[in-house]
């Protein structure tokens, strides 16, 4: 395990007085990673999905866990959820001796926190992996509902609010889109807007996936991972991994607004301010993509899934985003700064 000390962790830019940073390692199963809790509410566990990802170092994995757990606190607060934010990060082994053994080991680590941490699937984990985790841990969610479906629905609602802000109408019929990343969330968004949108550009690093998408959605136009930024569209939707919006990429943008499903889209808060100065309306990512978290928290709170109840809670995203846009316009400040302040006022009370 990394030799980084607590003092060194506290000096990291990503550190924000996190409540728990737990390194996890089991050589027999190739398990290596971190469970991190950013904020806690004494009345409820902290929630955050688990991702399995390739990292260059344990320090990089830790930084990602710190960033993502913090994001979850902001996401929960503005989604009206009483839970704190957390994250599980597993460094993807060079090879799996046994993926089931690795997941069993991870489930034991989750159990060691005695219910303080509730988790589900993020990048690198599939629905079938949840079933394996659930065999060993009661603190697994996402088994009885589709987080992807409701994440997509939340993005669609956010697009409607954004279009109304820009054009006075939420209709997609004359609007153009660029979707970056066609994984679970990007693919769901494409499915939701395909029949109504005027034009959709897409990109992904997986060429086989692009071929499949083109067969299923023949009207889309495939562009390269660099060209996706340059498309003259109404809405640019980052739905891949973090930090796609940075000082270099935002200079290429030709969109009117950004509404996407990826976490931590902004490389830094200053990027949000630069977008504001450029006149590009930014819908804060953790507001837009909160549908998945809303779904799994609802599953945790209720024994029986209700499509109507979850949809109603996801609808709340529209009101929150509208309030952020209104305050941004009134205060003449970037939307990400407005959203951050709103969230901090909520979770700092815990």
């Amino acid at each position: 395990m990394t030799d980084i000390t607590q003092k060194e962790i506290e000096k990291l830019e990503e550190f924000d007085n996190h409540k728990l940073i737990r390194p996890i390692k089991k050589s027999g199963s190739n398990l290596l990673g971190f469970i991190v809790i950013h904020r806690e509410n004494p009345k409820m566990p902290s929630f955050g999905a688990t991702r399995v990802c390739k990292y260059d170092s344990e320090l990089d994995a830790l930084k990602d866990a710190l960033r993502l757990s913090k994001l979850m606190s902001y996401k929960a607060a503005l989604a009206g959820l009483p839970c704190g934010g957390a994250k599980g990060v597993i460094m993807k082994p060079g090879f799996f001796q046994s993926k089931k053994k690795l997941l069993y080991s991870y489930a034991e680590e989750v159990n060691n926190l005695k219910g303080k941490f509730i988790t589900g699937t993020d990048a690198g984990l599939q629905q079938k992996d949840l079933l394996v985790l659930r065999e060993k841990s009661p603190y697994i969610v996402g088994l009885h509902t589709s987080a992807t479906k409701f994440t997509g629905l939340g993005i669609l609602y956010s697009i409607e609010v954004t279009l109304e802000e820009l054009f006075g109408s939420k209709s997609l019929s004359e609007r153009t889109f660029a979707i970056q990343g066609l994984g679970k969330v990007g693919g769901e968004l494409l499915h939701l807007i395909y029949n109504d949108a005027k034009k959709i550009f897409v990109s992904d690093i997986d060429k086989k996936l692009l071929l499949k998408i083109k067969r299923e959605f023949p009207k889309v136009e495939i562009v390269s991972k660099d060209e996706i930024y340059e498309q003259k569209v109404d809405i640019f939707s980052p739905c891949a991994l973090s930090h796609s919006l940075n000082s270099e990429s935002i200079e290429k943008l030709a969109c009117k607004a950004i509404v996407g499903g990826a976490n931590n889209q902004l490389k830094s808060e200053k990027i949000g301010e630069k977008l504001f100065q450029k006149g590009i309306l930014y819908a804060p990512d953790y507001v837009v993509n909160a549908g998945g978290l809303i779904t799994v928290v609802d599953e945790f709170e209720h024994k029986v899934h209700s499509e109507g109840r979850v949809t109603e809670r996801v609808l709340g995203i529209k009101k929150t985003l509208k309030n952020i846009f209104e305050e941004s316009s009134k205060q003449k400040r970037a939307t990400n700064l407005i959203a951050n302040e709103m969230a901090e006022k909520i979770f700092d009370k815990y």
Side-chain angles (χ1 to χ4, degrees):
M1 185 56 61
T2 181
D3 294 328
I4 188 168
T5 66
Q6 182 63 31
K7 284 187 177 180
E8 289 172 325
I9 290 173
E10 291 174 4
K11 289 180 181 178
L12 293 174
E13 181 184 350
E14 294 81 4
F15 181 73
D16 184 50
N17 295 315
H18 286 69
K19 301 302 180 185
L20 174 77
I21 300 173
R22 174 165 291 194
I24 52 176
K25 181 178 183 180
K26 289 194 177 179
S27 56
S29 62
N30 279 354
L31 178 65
L32 184 63
F34 298 89
I35 294 174
V36 174
I37 295 176
H38 176 250
R39 290 291 180 270
E40 295 176 304
N41 183 340
K43 299 178 181 178
M44 195 171 186
S46 296
F47 280 67
T50 295
R51 66 170 45 180
V52 179
C53 189
K54 286 185 178 179
Y55 293 97
D56 292 334
S57 67
E58 292 169 51
L59 181 58
D60 284 344
L62 172 58
K63 287 180 176 181
D64 201 28
L66 291 171
R67 282 191 298 264
L68 290 165
S69 60
K70 179 180 178 180
L71 177 89
M72 293 303 294
S73 290
Y74 285 79
K75 187 180 298 191
L78 290 191
L81 304 172
C83 58
K87 197 69 186 177
V89 163
I90 299 173
M91 297 182 68
K92 188 173 183 179
F95 65 96
F96 285 110
Q97 292 177 337
S98 167
K99 190 174 185 181
K100 179 177 280 192
K101 193 172 182 180
L102 180 140
L103 293 175
Y104 280 172
S105 293
Y106 181 69
E108 290 173 9
E109 295 290 343
V110 173
N111 290 344
N112 288 338
L113 293 175
K114 302 184 186 305
K116 291 174 66 175
F117 171 56
I118 307 295
T119 193
T121 61
D122 194 3
L125 286 179
Q126 305 299 323
Q127 198 71 11
K128 61 183 180 181
D129 298 320
L130 276 188
L131 297 172
V132 176
L133 289 167
R134 185 67 179 188
E135 288 177 32
K136 297 294 183 180
S137 175
Y139 307 119
I140 308 300
V141 288
L143 292 155
H144 306 302
T145 184
S146 172
T148 300
K149 172 183 175 179
F150 288 101
T151 300
L153 187 61
I155 300 171
L156 178 62
Y157 288 157
S158 299
I159 285 173
E160 290 176 347
V161 171
T162 304
L163 291 176
E164 200 155 16
E165 181 76 12
L166 291 172
F167 306 109
S169 169
K170 67 179 184 179
S171 173
L172 277 64
S173 62
E174 294 301 315
R175 303 302 161 205
T176 53
F177 299 83
I179 302 177
Q180 179 188 48
L182 296 167
K184 289 184 284 189
V185 173
E188 179 68 16
L189 176 60
L190 175 58
H191 172 78
L192 289 171
I193 69 173
Y194 182 73
N195 290 329
D196 297 320
K198 180 180 179 180
K199 181 71 177 178
I200 305 173
F201 299 90
V202 299
S203 73
D204 198 282
I205 59 173
D206 186 336
K207 293 182 179 180
K208 288 183 179 179
L209 176 59
L210 286 173
L211 290 173
K212 179 183 175 185
I213 289 292
K214 187 64 176 177
R215 286 195 297 270
E216 190 174 351
F217 303 97
K219 291 188 295 181
V220 301
E221 183 170 334
I222 296 171
V223 298
S224 74
K225 62 183 179 67
D226 294 321
E227 291 172 336
I228 194 70
Y229 294 102
E230 302 168 357
Q231 304 309 310
K232 293 182 179 179
V233 293
D234 297 310
I235 304 288
F236 173 60
S237 293
C239 294
L241 293 178
S242 305
H243 296 165
S244 64
L245 299 174
N246 51 61
S247 56
E248 183 180 341
S249 67
I250 65 169
E251 292 305 316
K252 302 176 185 177
L253 290 173
C255 61
K256 294 182 174 69
I258 299 171
V259 190
N263 285 320
N264 285 322
Q265 294 167 19
L266 303 178
K267 177 69 173 177
S268 70
E269 298 304 333
K270 288 183 180 179
I271 298 299
E273 295 180 76
K274 287 183 179 180
L275 290 171
F276 181 75
Q277 292 162 6
K278 288 169 69 71
I280 298 174
L281 184 59
Y282 175 65
D285 48 16
Y286 58 80
V287 177
V288 171
N289 64 20
L293 178 61
I294 290 169
T295 306
V296 296
V297 171
D298 186 87
E299 179 183 314
F300 178 81
E301 292 177 323
H302 300 91
K303 292 182 179 179
V304 179
H305 172 66
S306 166
E307 192 98 352
R309 183 180 61 238
V310 175
T311 301
E312 187 66 27
R313 296 179 82 168
V314 175
L315 266 170
I317 292 173
K318 297 183 78 167
K319 182 179 179 181
T320 301
L321 187 57
K322 188 174 181 180
N323 288 341
I324 291 167
F325 287 162
E326 287 176 354
E327 283 301 311
S328 173
S329 179
K330 188 188 302 181
Q331 297 183 31
K332 294 182 171 30
R333 295 173 64 224
T335 53
N336 59 305
L337 302 182
I338 299 294
N340 288 352
E341 290 173 2
M342 290 171 61
E344 287 159 5
K345 286 178 182 177
I346 295 169
F347 65 64
D348 280 346
K349 295 176 183 177
Y350 296 161

